[in-house]
Amino acid sequence: MTSKQQRAELQRKIWQIANSVRGSVDGWDFKQYVLGTLFYRFISENFINFIEAGDQSVQYAQLLDSVITDEIKADAIKTKGYFIYPSELFVNIVKDAHNNSDLNTDLAKIFSNIEASAIGYPSEADIKGLFADFDTTSNRLGNTVTDKNYRLCAVLKGVDELNFGEFEENHIDLFGDAYEFLISNYAANAGKSGGEFFTPQSVSKLIAKLAIHKQTTINKIYDPAAGSGSLLLQAKKQFDEHIIEEGFFGQELNHTTFNLARMNMFLHNINYDKFNIALGDTLRKPHFGDEKPFDAIVSNPPYSVKWIGSDDPTLINDDRFAPAGILAPKSKADFAFILHCLNYLSSKGRAAIVCFPGIFYRGGAEQKIRKYLIDSNYIETIISLAPNLFFGTSIAVNILVLSKHKTDMKTQFIDASGLFKKETNNNTLTSHGKNNHIDQIMELFDKKNNIEHLVKSVNYEKIVENDYNLSVSSYVEAKDTREIIDIKELNKQIKTTVKKIDKLRLDIDEIVTEIEG
């Protein structure tokens, strides 16, 4: 089965599952049940593979729970981070789900047991609360236990029928594609979901490539607004695992998305000891201060979100914000995230950050922070992308690339707004074929050559002269696509037309004279 066929089959099946509970669970809430069930199936199959270790004589799913010793359990948790008894495996639960009158409570108990298995082990923080959003007793599934079980069974059976062989052998990102598909189909509800935001895979791929460009090894990669972890995971997909030596780090404010990010790590075979996703407010209570600096930082922070800013007088002395001498406006925290990233960035690394275009030309505190970044020579490149690349918004965003190892005082501006492919309701950046948009942008980024209407490296003095305006359009002139008019030829045509009109008038006058005569 090709990648295209797999994706089409996945989407068809997920929509079929969605239809089975339509009218009971809101689409955006329903995603938790689909993704949670996908996760449950994955960790079950992954755990079976670990226990059996390729020995076909061992059929873990068929064993009795009673034969599992405490030693076997402890060894498994130390390695995998969790434990699942044979009777609690997805394959055994789904088999009799339609006849199980206690299905909803059984699932709740299983999820609780999986989380509890990690208590007292190093993986405890990574496992705790993973199934918190999979509420099997919610009235959204139905008012009666029978209704709840009917819909839970439908989801279990639907996910069981996703027949793609082993998860790790898929040609596509099963979990990521499921998540993206659900978001795109429930775009109207996405804005109501507590600030959750998903970075499309094509944009994630570009950001990951920018952050790790020409680095043969990096210590670790970090996203201060991790969302569902899509940016971090693109780094894993794009580069050999040995390049990222110490793993994946992130912080997320929204509890639901925090759980999805941790699930996503497991689903991509990143073991608990190779990732650290924290829950909390990055700007007010940042984690990982002891872990910094990071050689690669990727981020798509929320656009122009409000934050405490100057209402907390201690923040001006925070080592993240103090060097700029001013805090980002309370109504727009964009530059607070940028300065946070800069503070966590190593001297050899890069940060690639999705930004709202307005921060690059507005005045006030934002202009003063731009001045600090330019005067300190931390901005390597600003890239303007095409509009409508993201779900739920048509904004044409920018990507800011920060670096602490620039060799000159020039700043590169790339106008990539014309590089996109129209697909259904959204645009996308292609990553293969003749018009490979991502490779085109990376080549422009790498070579730093000036190309009219496309890319320009601008001297420090020019930016100062322009009052630290960093809008791409201020330095890369858009190509004039209007039709070029030859004035001489136009005048010639006008004279010819006038002669024809004059002759026509004479002819009409003659005809009128004959009629009147």
Side-chain angles (χ1 to χ4, degrees):
M1 188 181 289
T2 66
S3 297
K4 189 173 183 180
Q5 289 171 328
Q6 281 189 340
R7 186 169 287 109
E9 173 63 13
L10 171 69
Q11 294 178 354
R12 183 193 67 80
K13 189 61 189 177
I14 285 177
W15 199 244
Q16 188 179 82
I17 299 169
N19 284 337
S20 70
V21 295
R22 182 169 295 193
S24 174
V25 184
D26 177 81
W28 189 248
D29 294 324
F30 174 68
K31 79 183 189 302
Q32 310 302 344
Y33 295 102
V34 176
L35 298 178
T37 305
L38 277 171
F39 178 66
Y40 175 38
R41 174 182 163 179
F42 174 83
I43 62 171
S44 292
E45 293 185 2
N46 191 275
F47 194 78
I48 290 171
N49 290 340
F50 166 73
I51 294 292
E52 294 179 353
D55 186 346
Q56 295 183 355
S57 67
V58 179
Q59 298 291 316
Y60 183 68
Q62 297 176 19
L63 296 179
L64 296 174
D65 292 357
S66 58
V67 305
I68 307 300
T69 65
D70 290 341
E71 184 180 10
I72 291 173
K73 183 176 178 180
D75 287 345
I77 298 170
K78 288 174 185 176
T79 303
K80 296 302 296 179
Y82 60 92
F83 189 85
I84 307 177
Y85 280 102
S87 66
E88 298 177 334
L89 292 166
F90 175 87
V91 65
N92 287 329
I93 295 300
V94 73
K95 182 169 55 180
D96 297 316
H98 60 291
N99 292 323
N100 186 353
S101 61
D102 298 318
L103 180 61
N104 69 323
T105 52
D106 283 352
L107 284 173
K109 185 178 179 181
I110 289 169
F111 298 157
S112 177
N113 289 344
I114 293 172
E115 292 184 15
S117 70
I119 294 175
Y121 289 86
S123 59
E124 180 176 349
D126 297 311
I127 303 296
K128 184 178 180 181
L130 273 175
F131 291 98
D133 294 299
F134 198 119
D135 185 358
T136 64
T137 63
S138 172
N139 286 334
R140 290 178 298 183
L141 287 170
N143 293 322
T144 68
V145 172
T146 301
D147 289 341
K148 291 179 175 67
N149 288 341
Y150 172 80
R151 292 185 174 91
L152 287 170
C153 181
V155 177
L156 287 167
K157 291 290 186 182
V159 169
D160 183 51
E161 291 170 9
L162 293 174
N163 185 22
F164 298 141
E166 299 295 332
F167 273 76
E168 56 267 27
E169 293 176 3
N170 291 319
H171 298 295
I172 63 172
D173 173 5
L174 180 63
F175 188 73
D177 276 30
Y179 188 58
E180 186 165 344
F181 175 71
L182 285 167
I183 287 180
S184 64
N185 277 275
Y186 296 121
N189 292 329
K192 306 171 188 176
S193 59
E196 285 180 282
F197 203 78
F198 181 79
T199 308
Q201 292 180 29
S202 64
V203 181
S204 297
K205 188 178 295 185
L206 173 61
I207 292 169
K209 284 179 174 290
L210 289 166
I212 306 184
H213 183 60
K214 286 190 173 178
Q215 297 196 64
T216 54
T217 62
I218 67 168
N219 59 356
K220 49 207 169 188
I221 187 166
Y222 170 58
D223 185 347
S228 63
S230 59
L231 284 170
L232 292 172
L233 290 166
Q234 273 299 333
K236 179 181 185 291
K237 294 177 190 177
Q238 296 304 310
F239 307 96
D240 294 334
E241 291 193 27
H242 73 271
I243 290 178
I244 303 171
E245 297 172 337
E246 299 174 41
F248 305 80
F249 295 75
Q251 186 166 346
E252 172 56 32
L253 178 63
N254 181 283
H255 194 277
T256 296
T257 349
F258 160 68
N259 285 336
L260 287 174
R262 292 186 297 157
M263 286 184 183
N264 225 346
M265 295 295 136
F266 282 109
L267 282 160
H268 287 83
N269 277 322
I270 300 175
N271 212 32
Y272 75 91
D273 58 345
K274 283 294 184 182
F275 76 83
N276 192 338
I277 308 294
L279 176 66
D281 186 334
T282 293
L283 299 181
R284 296 196 68 181
K285 294 182 179 179
H287 288 255
F288 311 122
D290 294 336
E291 290 282 353
K292 68 181 184 182
F294 294 86
D295 290 342
I297 297 176
V298 291
S299 192
N300 180 12
Y303 304 150
S304 301
V305 69
K306 294 179 181 179
W307 76 306
I308 192 167
S310 58
D311 284 347
D312 182 353
T314 65
L315 285 175
I316 195 61
N317 297 317
D318 190 301
D319 62 358
R320 297 170 295 167
F321 312 124
I326 193 168
L327 296 173
K330 289 189 294 181
S331 60
K332 303 175 183 69
D334 307 70
F335 269 116
F337 283 103
I338 290 169
L339 292 173
H340 173 93
C341 290
L342 181 66
N343 181 256
Y344 275 55
L345 185 64
S346 75
S347 59
K348 72 185 266 299
R350 283 191 179 91
I353 308 165
V354 180
C355 299
F356 182 77
I359 71 168
F360 294 114
Y361 57 78
R362 290 191 295 242
E366 291 179 317
Q367 183 188 37
K368 292 177 181 177
I369 296 173
R370 293 198 302 271
K371 180 180 186 303
Y372 160 70
L373 294 172
I374 290 295
D375 289 350
S376 303
N377 202 29
Y378 288 138
I379 298 182
E380 180 174 0
T381 300
I382 299 173
I383 305 168
S384 65
L385 297 180
N388 209 31
L389 288 172
F390 290 79
F391 296 115
T393 178
S394 60
I395 295 171
V397 302
N398 289 178
I399 297 177
L400 170 67
V401 182
L402 298 175
S403 170
K404 293 183 177 178
H405 58 270
K406 287 174 63 182
T407 57
D408 58 34
M409 288 292 289
K410 292 183 177 180
T411 299
Q412 184 190 42
F413 296 87
I414 299 175
D415 182 358
S417 60
L419 301 178
F420 66 91
K421 179 184 178 182
K422 181 72 175 176
E423 283 191 358
T424 60
N425 295 325
N426 283 85
N427 296 326
T428 188
L429 299 173
T430 59
S431 57
H432 58 274
K434 184 178 179 181
N435 295 315
N436 187 325
H437 301 137
I438 292 175
D439 280 358
Q440 288 179 57
I441 294 171
M442 288 307 303
E443 184 176 0
L444 296 172
F445 174 73
D446 178 54
K447 291 185 176 179
K448 300 291 192 292
N449 294 333
N450 291 336
I451 301 175
E452 192 175 14
H453 308 306
L454 195 59
V455 57
K456 188 171 184 179
S457 291
V458 180
N459 290 323
Y460 167 74
E461 293 77 14
K462 177 67 175 177
I463 294 175
V464 173
E465 181 185 324
N466 204 16
D467 292 330
Y468 296 93
N469 184 326
L470 300 180
S471 175
V472 173
S473 61
S474 296
Y475 304 98
V476 181
E477 184 180 358
K479 190 172 184 179
D480 190 346
T481 57
R482 293 176 299 177
E483 182 182 357
I484 298 174
I485 299 173
D486 186 331
I487 298 299
K488 290 184 178 179
E489 178 63 26
L490 181 61
N491 285 335
K492 183 179 177 182
Q493 290 176 4
I494 290 172
K495 287 181 180 179
T496 301
T497 302
V498 169
K499 286 182 180 179
K500 288 180 179 179
I501 292 172
D502 288 343
K503 185 177 184 307
L504 184 60
R505 282 173 175 167
L506 288 173
D507 291 344
I508 291 172
D509 287 344
E510 289 179 3
I511 292 170
V512 170
T513 301
E514 288 180 7
I515 292 172
E516 290 177 344

